[in-house]
Amino acid sequence: MLRRHRHAARLTLERLAEASGVSARTLSDMERGHSRGPQHRTVTALADALGLTGPDRRQLVELAREGRLRDHWARPTGLCELPRSVDDFTGRTAELAWIGELVRAEDAPGAADVRLVTGSAGLGKTTLTVRAAHALRPDFPDGVFFLDLFGMSSRPLPADEALGTLLRALGVTDQRIPGDVAGRASLYRSLLRARRVLIVLDNAASEEQVRPLLPGGGAGKALVTSRRLLAGLEGVRRLGLGPLPPLEAAGLLAGILKDRGTSDDGPAVRQLAQMCGGLPLALRIAGNRLVSRPGWNAADLAARLTNEERRLDQLSAGDLRIATAFGLSYEQLADSTRRVFRRLALVPGRTFDAALAAVVGGTSIEGAWDALDELVDLGLLQDSAPGRHRFHDLVRLFARDRLREEEPEAERDALTVTMTSWLLRTATTAGRWFEPAYGPSDRSGPGLAALSSPEEADHWLRANVDNWLGALRHGAGTGRFAAVLDCAESMHWFSDRWMHAPHWHEVFTLGAEAAAALDDPARQAGQLNLLAWVHLVPREELEATLRHTAQAMDLATRSGATAQVALAHHQAGGALRRLGRLDEAIASETRAAEIFKAEGDIDRYCHCLGALGTCLRDAGQHAEALERYLALWALLEDDRSGVTPGVAAFTRPIALARVGECLGLLGHRAEAIVKLTEAIGLMERAQMPAPQARTLETLAALLAGEERTGESRRAYARAAEVYEAVGDAEASGRCRALADVTP
């Protein structure tokens, strides 16, 4: 107001100082808000110099009186001083910028900007907010105040005590502090409305504790940290803090070690940072240990941390222990949630859902969801994909330690058996959704995950692959050969849908070993044929394919497993074709087709027809190849042919693509383009990326031949994307180059 009146009178600070007898420095402090309660005689002199009368004069005098009143009982006391920052703070640039927006953000009426930083133990929430608050000091001339709310202690600071401390820090005497929470909160908000103050509320326990401590509208701002999500807080801006990225983690560790006389090489520092999982507290502990032990180097400590059994014990320095930080959160949990938390350490994969948590936790699905929500709320678990959760690596080790300390070995072993059995049975049930021989009655079981469609089964198998594969390994290692073999066999048809997944070699190797242990040569031949497929399709190791088919053929012949004899011929035919031994390939595929047709296995007969067409195509017999593909297409389109609907749905896009390829080779490009385009659409819907990429590449070449340049480039570009998605970098680069150079 003083500035506005001075400008209206067209006076500079110096001219007003000369006219009023008040120094220019005092005037500047008043105009910038640093002096809000000047003496009455000072204000009267200014009003006289400005020629103020009536309401303007009374308003200026009244504002000064209110300021003097505030200053009388609200002078800063030195309480709630901000802790010191660390000089080796590293990274968090985006997070610091986000907090810095406190200064510039527009407040809604009656609601000051409040920033909430959440995250699990050891992520450096306090360090980050203290660093940011120090940087923001110049923007809050009326003070920056810090209060630890002791959210992880057995007795968090009550809201009335917190308000009392903050009011005293703001200069309010004990006699003027109201006795009730509502009165204290009202006085607190009124003080912050007129002051540019930053309140840092660290380690909040709950929404109930924090709500009375948040400023209303006005100049005051607040910055809150908590291990809990505090999801019930309204109108706050949220930042979920995560581990430091690898480069920043290594940078923080290097910063802590910078003054050591011992040189620590880069690779060792990076390895040590990686073992700390990007947790700033763990990095701080590791760095402090090295700083305090000049005879050690980063490689020595990294070697010690390699042993997971001792890693948490090694991450301690003086009164800093990573296990203690996790333990504070663990103590906050209900007993039932603690049980679920520690038992989840048994899960073999990186992620898990509520169904698996219910199995290992010995609770209902509803109880598992409640436990998972509580664990996420406290930062002991992290959300992964929708409906899935995961541990931080160090938190998993802590959970495993709690399990060993709190549950007997016999109970742990029994839990592992229960979980392994459930995973194998569920995976087997899911895999059989794709087997022609199994009906709906075989697709569910008591206590298993609810899988009511092939889509749900597909999703479960992909999302839980680390878990059921871990169960398969454990089952094989503990002699549960029948369950292992059942599971491996159930993956036969599903593996076609996910053919480039890296684990099929292990799955079918374990299956073959289980069949051998059970002395079942027919089923062993089946697993060897699947291993031959792995070497043929995803790996393209053709000689290995032929070795496995020879072993399968021998076992199948001796045991009378005619279907496996035919399958061995079929797999061998694929390898022989790719080796250029086309006459042998045609003979093998013809023999396989004859056996399958005679056995009435129309599904596999269809596969052999398609493979025989491909052999003829490669031999340059394009018309004969087209005949085989058209015969295959007729079977797939005939409802009375005996082809299983699931097999028909899977094979139809590939057959249509092969028809299109042959039409193109025979010079019928326009017709070929139509067929290939339709096949690509079917493959997209059926999620068949590998054949889709090859078909897109074929289509792109035909479009280029028809001088449909733009369409050709788009097809090559899309093929490059799909090849990249399935991990074929060479083919992706080839198509990307063709997309750029197609004339």
Side-chain angles (χ1 to χ4, degrees), residues 169-194:
L170 290 166
V172 182
T173 61
D174 285 344
Q175 294 85 347
R176 294 182 177 271
I177 296 177
D180 61 312
V181 172
R184 292 182 178 191
S186 178
L187 176 58
Y188 170 73
R189 288 194 299 272
S190 70
L191 290 174
L192 296 190
R193 183 174 294 110

Side-chain angles (χ1 to χ4, degrees), residues 449-461:
L451 305 173
S452 59
S453 68
E455 292 73 24
E456 289 183 3
D458 184 293
H459 175 76
W460 189 93
L461 287 168

Side-chain angles (χ1 to χ4, degrees), residues 479-727:
R480 303 192 64 211
F481 299 122
V484 169
L485 183 53
D486 284 346
C487 185
E489 286 181 332
S490 76
M491 297 298 154
H492 178 178
W493 292 85
F494 175 68
S495 60
D496 276 336
R497 299 169 66 97
W498 197 12
M499 63 179 62
H500 286 280
H503 51 265
W504 294 126
H505 186 272
E506 182 179 9
V507 169
F508 299 132
T509 297
L510 290 173
E513 291 170 351
L518 293 169
D519 194 23
D520 192 331
R523 296 175 77 185
Q524 186 181 358
Q527 294 299 292
L528 288 169
N529 273 326
L530 290 169
L531 270 174
W533 170 83
V534 172
H535 287 286
L536 174 65
V537 179
R539 294 191 170 197
E540 296 192 14
E541 296 169 349
L542 305 179
E543 295 297 342
T545 300
L546 293 177
R547 286 196 300 274
H548 284 302
T549 54
Q551 293 171 358
M553 187 88 68
D554 179 56
L555 287 167
T557 301
R558 286 193 283 115
S559 60
T562 308
Q564 296 304 329
V565 171
L567 195 55
H569 278 300
H570 175 52
Q571 302 289 13
L576 292 166
R577 178 184 67 81
R578 296 189 191 191
L579 287 167
R581 296 157 59 177
L582 295 176
D583 288 343
E584 295 173 79
I586 290 169
S588 287
E589 295 290 4
T590 301
R591 181 61 184 140
E594 290 171 349
I595 296 173
F596 282 133
K597 189 174 184 180
E599 291 285 311
D601 190 338
I602 304 303
D603 291 329
R604 288 196 171 101
Y605 173 65
C606 286
H607 286 175
C608 292
L609 268 185
L612 184 55
T614 304
C615 291
L616 292 166
R617 181 202 63 188
D618 288 0
Q621 301 175 41
H622 301 147
E624 292 83 350
L626 181 58
E627 285 182 22
R628 300 303 188 283
Y629 289 137
L630 289 173
L632 171 58
W633 181 257
L635 283 172
L636 298 172
E637 291 292 285
D638 184 356
D639 294 337
R640 298 168 298 175
S641 66
V643 180
T644 305
V647 173
F650 179 81
T651 310
R652 192 177 284 114
I654 298 173
L656 191 58
R658 297 294 181 267
V659 169
E661 289 174 9
C662 283
L663 287 169
L665 291 168
L666 290 167
H668 307 301
R669 282 201 296 241
E671 191 178 353
I673 288 169
V674 172
K675 299 293 186 186
L676 292 171
T677 302
E678 185 181 349
I680 289 165
L682 292 174
M683 291 170 179
E684 181 93 41
R685 288 192 289 276
Q687 297 182 8
M688 301 165 62
Q692 181 188 356
R694 289 193 295 271
T695 308
L696 279 163
E697 189 174 6
T698 303
L699 174 63
L702 287 172
L703 289 167
E706 289 286 284
E707 298 185 355
R708 294 162 64 172
T709 304
E711 295 173 81
S712 176
R713 284 178 173 165
R714 287 192 291 274
Y716 274 128
R718 178 64 182 140
E721 291 174 1
V722 182
Y723 273 130
E724 185 175 358
V726 299

